[in-house]
Amino acid sequence: MEKCALDTAISTLGPCKLESHLPYRTWADNKKIQVVIDGELGDGSTEPCRASFEAAGPRQKLYFDSSRAKCAIVTCGGLCPGINDVIRAIVMEAHHAYHVPSILGIRYGLEGFIPKYGHAPMELTPSRVADIHLFGGTILGSSRGPQPADQIVDTLERSNVNALFVIGGDGTMKAAMAISAEVRQRGLKISVIGIPKTIDNDINYIPQSFGFETAVCKATEAIECAHTEACGTPNGIGLVKLMGRESGFIAAQATLALKEVNFVLIPEAPFSLEGPGGLLPAVEERLRDRGHCVIVTAEGAGQHLLAHHTETDASGNRVLGNVADLLKMEISRYLKEHKLPHSIKYIDPSYIIRSVPAQAADKVYCGFLGQYAVHAAMAGRTDMVVAKIQERYVHLPLQLVTRTRRRLNIYSDLWRAVLESTGQGMLKGMLPPA
């Protein structure tokens, strides 16, 4: 297998000269993790290739004198299960393992760095974060949208921060890159470490982001309710809209978890409403055959059938049309024209899913991410994210994870399994080109 032409080198602030006092002796110095890169992992690679990444973990030599270091944590973008768990893990590791005397929590995302907003930072101590993992959301609050990198670094410099931990999605990681570039331009010694967060599971090179497993589990509860509603009335239709602006991972995984879905619609597989292979005649056939139907759609599905919006939200994302409204209207119209009485029950659990506490597996994942982020920062790593790839924790350069957004590969075994589970392979657009 050929080696990938990827630059996986991790930037450092300088040589590490201080001895670590950690007692574990399981050092990650000079360890490399070999990873097979293919089209399902990132960048749409067609032929698998092998890449070598720096292993995450404690280093025997440190860059910072951790007993004199100061850290800051910021959370940005939408909510996601597990954010509080990551915050807690960072604080506990920095305090107990490295004896860091001060950890600042930046309030309300990147706005918290900008003086005009007036968001005072929060001092994060073990007692302050002791039970935050029991709750959803983020103790620090969040916000969307960019802020000037020079003003952010001004605040970091005034506050004597040595390490900044940035928890957020694709846009936030791009902001972290801009902050890191400004730090370098000024010749400052500030470590910038990203912890990727996206409930849509769409960050490049990261097979599963934290909170995704919890989100899928909660989504299946909504699907189960939709199925119950659909079965409770003649020709009942349960319609569930799940998160997924550009990728259908939650919709696909939840469909596989609960084998009650008849049609699942994702952004990666454009569908047709009418004609041969159209969704509407397929729904009619399903109702006449079985008397009920369950449809799951990702929020970004069907945008080719909706009016295009030129507006963007605060994060720079294109404003989406409402695919659920389109489906409700078109299904009702079509079934009325074909004289088939029916009832549509619509469920959108998005904000419930985003806001719940993480489940056990995600809590474990978040704990590792927080610990490894602190290890990386104390060893002077910067301009990078901590990631779990093929069951191993590694350091990834920020420029790799921000190159593009990861999408569900419709040539993959995952999508094949979805088609087998739903039986919707006859729909136009569902099968990849030969």
Side-chain angles (χ1 to χ4, degrees):
M1 187 179 296
E2 293 186 4
K3 187 176 180 181
C4 298
L6 293 176
D7 182 4
T8 61
I10 299 299
S11 301
T12 62
L13 298 176
C16 295
K17 299 179 179 180
L18 302 175
E19 286 287 340
S20 172
H21 297 293
L22 295 180
Y24 314 121
R25 301 290 183 266
T26 53
W27 309 117
D29 301 81
N30 304 316
K31 281 179 67 175
K32 294 289 184 179
I33 304 297
Q34 303 297 318
V35 174
V36 176
I37 306 293
D38 58 19
E40 294 182 44
L41 189 57
D43 281 358
S45 306
T46 54
E47 293 296 326
C49 58
R50 181 171 43 81
S52 180
F53 295 99
E54 183 176 85
R59 264 63 190 176
Q60 197 164 3
K61 296 280 189 177
L62 304 181
Y63 179 80
F64 289 111
D65 179 350
S66 58
S67 65
R68 301 183 182 187
K70 190 174 188 180
C71 299
I73 306 172
V74 64
T75 58
C76 307
L79 297 182
C80 173
I83 301 176
N84 276 339
D85 298 80
V86 175
I87 295 170
R88 185 179 187 274
I90 292 172
V91 173
M92 293 302 190
E93 184 72 11
H95 181 87
H96 292 297
Y98 287 98
H99 309 294
V100 173
S102 177
I103 306 162
L104 294 180
I106 307 301
R107 304 299 309 280
Y108 301 110
L110 298 180
E111 284 186 6
F113 291 105
I114 312 302
K116 72 176 182 180
Y117 291 106
H119 303 316
M122 174 191 299
E123 188 71 33
L124 296 176
T125 62
S127 60
R128 187 122 195 204
V129 302
D131 62 354
I132 63 172
H133 60 300
L134 303 177
F135 305 97
T138 163
I139 188 178
L140 299 177
S142 187
S143 65
R144 293 187 182 274
Q147 299 297 338
D150 60 332
Q151 294 186 38
I152 293 173
V153 177
D154 285 345
T155 298
L156 292 172
E157 197 171 3
R158 280 194 300 266
S159 304
N160 296 317
V161 169
N162 304 112
L164 172 64
F165 301 99
V166 184
I167 306 171
D170 179 71
T172 304
M173 293 302 106
K174 290 176 180 174
M177 281 183 67
I179 295 167
S180 188
E182 180 70 19
V183 165
R184 280 197 309 273
Q185 185 176 337
R186 298 189 190 190
L188 302 175
K189 299 300 184 181
I190 301 175
S191 172
V192 179
I193 307 293
I195 297 98
K197 168 205 68 70
T198 168
I199 204 164
D200 289 353
N201 203 38
D202 61 355
I203 293 185
N204 202 28
Y205 285 102
I206 297 177
Q208 184 171 311
S209 51
F210 76 81
F212 176 74
E213 190 164 321
T214 302
V216 168
C217 187
K218 298 303 290 185
T220 60
E221 294 178 10
I223 295 172
E224 192 168 11
C225 291
H227 180 252
T228 300
E229 290 283 357
C231 292
T233 184
N235 297 323
I237 300 170
L239 174 61
V240 180
K241 185 175 79 170
L242 299 175
M243 290 156 295
R245 292 184 56 87
E246 297 182 31
S247 56
F249 288 107
I250 290 181
Q253 204 85 344
T255 293
L256 291 178
L258 194 68
K259 302 288 197 296
E260 306 289 4
V261 179
N262 308 115
F263 305 100
V264 58
L265 309 172
I266 63 172
E268 296 87 342
F271 61 94
S272 299
L273 287 173
E274 302 199 55
L279 175 67
L280 300 180
V283 170
E284 180 193 7
E285 181 181 349
R286 164 72 192 185
L287 292 178
R288 293 193 186 279
D289 182 41
R290 298 294 300 277
H292 68 278
C293 176
V294 176
I295 304 171
V296 170
T297 180
E299 61 182 320
Q303 296 303 303
H304 59 293
L305 302 173
L306 293 155
H308 286 283
H309 295 271
T310 56
E311 315 96 84
T312 57
D313 62 18
S315 298
N317 299 310
R318 178 170 61 91
V319 174
L320 299 177
N322 193 324
V323 66
D325 285 348
L326 172 74
L327 292 173
K328 285 189 292 182
M329 180 180 67
E330 290 298 319
I331 290 172
S332 290
R333 174 194 61 78
Y334 184 89
L335 295 179
K336 284 178 182 176
E337 288 178 359
H338 288 74
K339 298 183 172 25
L340 186 62
H342 63 281
S343 172
I344 299 179
K345 298 297 191 292
Y346 169 54
I347 299 174
D348 181 356
S350 300
Y351 289 101
I352 295 173
I353 292 173
R354 289 173 15 142
S355 305
V356 299
Q359 295 187 338
D362 273 323
K363 286 183 179 296
V364 173
Y365 187 8
C366 292
F368 275 117
L369 291 175
Q371 289 178 343
Y372 284 134
V374 174
H375 291 317
M378 292 301 105
R381 269 48 177 181
T382 189
D383 206 18
M384 55 149 280
V385 304
V386 178
K388 183 182 181 183
I389 303 180
Q390 295 168 6
E391 301 305 314
R392 304 294 294 275
Y393 289 89
V394 299
H395 296 163
L396 286 180
L398 274 169
Q399 57 89 12
L400 272 188
V401 299
T402 57
R403 186 182 292 177
T404 186
R405 284 192 177 179
R406 182 170 168 264
R407 308 187 77 203
L408 196 159
N409 183 353
I410 61 172
Y411 289 88
S412 66
D413 289 340
L414 171 62
W415 185 240
R416 175 194 51 75
V418 169
L419 297 182
E420 290 181 0
S421 175
T422 59
Q424 68 183 49
M426 85 297 282
L427 292 186
K428 188 177 179 182
M430 296 297 110
L431 296 174

